[in-house]
Amino acid sequence: MIVGGPDVYINTGSRLSLTCTVKYSPEPPAFIFWYHDDKLVSYERRPGGVVVSTEKGVVTTSRLLVQFAEPRHTGRYTCAPANSRPKSVNVHVIAGDQPAAIVHDNNSRAAARLRQHAALLPFLMLLLLLLPHCLTGEG
């Protein structure tokens, strides 16, 4: 799994940090590859580049880090362990003056939860109106 998915929103210049964990595997994966839009992420260490580190164990963790995210880092990132199914997350690097871009994803879990809670609002308002009467024995 990739922590924080299915969509990650960050501002330009922020740190992009993705963490992929592999659990319940009979043995740690021999390798974990990261892809950005179906292109293998380069593991060469160069200034401003992507850094990947992996810690093997009962739970294997691979971290992808971009110190200063740019719009070119937007896209689909996939963590592909050797012995497990790949998992993906969509990264959106947003320029500082475009906060409205965050609300465009109507399929996100957060938007679904918000709609769910909004549906409860009339019931909660009614409950708040009736509660004082119930506690005092009136009504």
Side-chain angles (χ1 to χ4, degrees):
M1 77 174 215
I2 298 178
V3 179
D7 288 281
V8 173
Y9 296 90
I10 61 170
N11 289 323
T12 300
S14 297
R15 179 193 309 210
L16 169 60
S17 179
L18 301 176
T19 302
C20 175
T21 57
V22 180
K23 298 178 183 179
Y24 314 115
S25 178
E27 61 185 85
F31 57 85
I32 296 177
F33 288 136
W34 282 91
Y35 294 88
H36 177 211
D37 291 334
D38 300 323
K39 182 180 175 190
L40 184 64
V41 170
S42 172
Y43 286 61
E44 294 178 21
R45 289 194 179 241
R46 52 184 177 203
V50 176
V51 177
V52 175
S53 62
T54 302
E55 299 168 14
K56 294 183 180 183
V58 175
V59 175
T60 297
T61 303
S62 181
R63 290 182 179 83
L64 180 142
L65 175 68
V66 176
Q67 197 65 30
F68 301 101
E70 300 174 11
R72 67 184 173 97
H73 295 113
T74 292
R76 184 174 186 82
Y77 285 82
T78 302
C79 167
N83 60 351
S84 301
R85 282 184 272 169
K87 292 293 181 180
S88 298
V89 65
N90 295 306
V91 172
H92 308 272
V93 180
I94 301 166
D97 60 346
Q98 297 177 343
I102 293 175
V103 298
H104 288 205
D105 182 20
N106 293 331
N107 295 325
S108 72
R109 286 185 212 159
R113 279 195 303 269
L114 186 58
R115 285 191 300 273
Q116 231 176 5
H117 289 105
L120 290 174
L121 194 55
F123 172 75
L124 292 173
M125 293 298 289
L126 180 62
L127 186 62
L128 287 173
L129 289 172
L130 294 176
L131 188 59
H133 298 290
C134 293
L135 293 175
T136 60
E138 300 172 10

